[in-house]
Amino acid sequence: MGPLSVSLDQGTLCLALRGDIDFVNSAPITQAMREAVAEGRPKLVVVDVAEVSFLDSSGLGALVAVLRAAADCGAAFRVERPNANVYGQFEIAGLLELFGLGGSDGGGSGAGR
């Protein structure tokens, strides 16, 4: 199974990432996610990062790129189920609220906090 799974159901596009998301594979993942958003024209884009074991700045850039693609088609965007390490990287980068993780529950389920 590759690092990205895509599903579209009732206007929600789910992009499930897994493994290492880094400079080695972030460009093709970014392109595939952008294409999925453009083709699906969803109302909501959800990126599930529960199975991401490592994320570098290129991986963060991929998530920001899909956030922008969602905004371009008028879709809402959120990231779900980050483990403690990934959540920490979002926090350090100042991306929690932008990714829909800045609520009063401290990041929602699976935040590892």
Side-chain angles (χ1 to χ4, degrees):
M1 191 177 288
L4 174 64
S5 296
V6 178
S7 63
L8 180 62
D9 185 36
Q10 298 181 356
T12 299
L13 178 66
C14 183
L15 304 169
L17 296 171
R18 69 187 58 77
D20 293 351
I21 310 299
D22 57 21
F23 72 95
V24 173
N25 62 6
S26 63
I29 290 171
T30 301
Q31 184 63 30
M33 291 192 300
R34 282 182 179 155
E35 288 173 3
V37 170
E39 291 171 12
R41 305 291 299 171
K43 294 178 182 172
L44 172 64
V45 176
V46 175
V47 181
D48 184 339
V49 295
E51 295 185 39
V52 172
S53 52
F54 176 78
L55 186 77
D56 71 2
S57 60
S58 300
L60 290 173
L63 293 173
V64 170
V66 75
L67 166 73
R68 289 181 179 152
D72 287 348
C73 76
F77 177 87
R78 73 174 181 254
V79 175
E80 293 185 344
R81 305 187 324 141
N83 63 41
N85 292 332
V86 171
Y87 184 92
Q89 289 190 272
F90 294 162
E91 188 172 39
I92 289 168
L95 295 171
L96 291 178
E97 288 197 30
L98 196 60
F99 286 174
L101 296 167
S104 61
D105 65 354
S109 66
R113 310 237 356 145

